Structure formats: structure tokens, C-alpha cells
Amino acid sequence: FDIPGSCLWIKERRMQRVALQIPDEFLKHSQKIVDRLRSTIQDENIEFYILADSSVSSWDPDVIAAQHVQADGIIMYGRASVTRSEAMP
């Protein structure tokens, strides 16, 4: 998991609500990922939301779920499609 790269991406875009899309096989690591992001960013105002059990394939961004939590962007861990979404960074 690229925690430093994820933190840089969040900071550069001044995100406050971040959706983390994690495939089923990595869900057991989700709390550790959030803990490491929080300790690296050191901004208590940033909220993280775990997106799991997606209605789309595990490698496509679940923009609908991210929009439900009003996320500023999605970070995908695991296998990911190279298709970009215009609806969300």
C-alpha cells in the first residue's frame, strides 16, 4: 500500500473526505491502512470511508458509493482499472 503517495495525493488536492476502495482480500488490512494514513497526514479533519463489497467489479472505481458519502476522491488499493472517471478524482 502506497501510504506516502496516497497522503501526498490527498494533501495536494486538499481533500477532506476520502473514499478508500479496498478489495475483499485486503479488507483485513483496512483499519491499518486508515491508521497509517491518519498518522502520516496528521490532520484530524480528514475523514476516511472504506468502500467494500462493491456493486461494480473490484478493479473499477465505485463512484456511486463514493458519492453517497460525499467523498472528494477515491483511492483504490489492489488491482485497478486504468479507466478514469470524470465524476471523481
Side-chain angles (χ1 to χ4, degrees), residues 1-2 19-31 33 49-62 74-81:
F1 306 111
D2 182 9
L20 305 174
Q21 187 168 334
I22 301 175
D24 292 343
E25 63 268 18
F26 294 136
L27 279 178
K28 62 186 173 192
H29 304 294
S30 60
Q31 187 60 54
I33 293 168
Y49 299 89
I50 304 297
L51 304 183
D53 195 27
S54 177
S55 60
V56 298
S57 66
S58 63
W59 56 84
D60 288 322
D62 194 344
I74 303 173
I75 296 177
M76 295 183 66
Y77 293 106
R79 223 169 102 191
S81 167

Side-chain angles (χ1 to χ4, degrees), residues 16-52:
Q16 293 299 302
R17 299 169 70 91
V18 182
L20 305 174
Q21 187 168 334
I22 301 175
D24 292 343
E25 63 268 18
F26 294 136
L27 279 178
K28 62 186 173 192
H29 304 294
S30 60
Q31 187 60 54
K32 288 179 186 177
I33 293 168
V34 171
D35 290 345
R36 288 187 58 204
L37 289 168
R38 285 191 194 286
S39 67
T40 304
I41 290 179
Q42 298 182 345
D43 184 340
E44 295 177 13
N45 297 315
I46 297 175
E47 298 175 18
F48 294 98
Y49 299 89
I50 304 297
L51 304 183

